[in-house]
Amino acid sequence: LDARVIDVHTVKPIDREAILQAARETGAILTAEEHNIYGGLGGAVAEVLAEAGVPCRFKRHGIYDEYSPIGPPIHLYEHYRLNGAGIAEVVREFLTR
């Protein structure tokens, strides 16, 4: 797979142009964030795409609304597939469905 990574260091202000350029050039965006997917980066990116009317496959990846288990961060990243291998697996699933 060829992939582009955009390090979004702030949700507000969001880099609209980087998101729109990536959407137009790749046709697919997956956001990965290490907290609840609601109200975070994924929602902000979805708003940018929707408001611009750019057709693009889109997925938010992170922690869904649930009570989180407790444990060392390395185990939690693995559990939620937020480590390198987990994110790669989520991307493959997303692009092949």
Side-chain angles (χ1 to χ4, degrees):
L1 298 174
D2 288 326
R4 175 182 306 186
V5 175
I6 300 172
D7 181 9
V8 180
H9 62 283
T10 61
V11 175
K12 189 174 180 181
I14 191 111
D15 189 344
R16 294 178 53 80
E17 289 310 311
I19 294 165
L20 295 174
Q21 181 178 354
R24 289 183 185 113
E25 292 176 359
T26 67
I29 291 182
L30 179 137
T31 60
E33 47 197 318
E34 58 184 359
H35 56 80
N36 194 305
I37 62 167
Y38 301 106
L41 174 64
V45 171
E47 289 176 12
V48 169
L49 296 172
E51 289 172 356
V54 174
C56 176
R57 294 179 64 200
F58 177 74
K59 177 173 178 59
R60 296 177 297 177
H61 176 59
I63 301 172
Y64 293 84
D65 268 346
E66 66 181 36
Y67 288 104
S68 175
I70 296 172
I74 193 167
H75 295 293
L76 295 175
Y77 283 119
E78 183 177 345
H79 174 78
Y80 287 109
R81 299 193 308 172
L82 288 167
N83 57 5
I87 292 171
E89 182 181 6
V90 170
V91 169
R92 283 188 199 94
E93 290 170 2
F94 169 60
L95 293 177
T96 58
R97 66 176 161 108

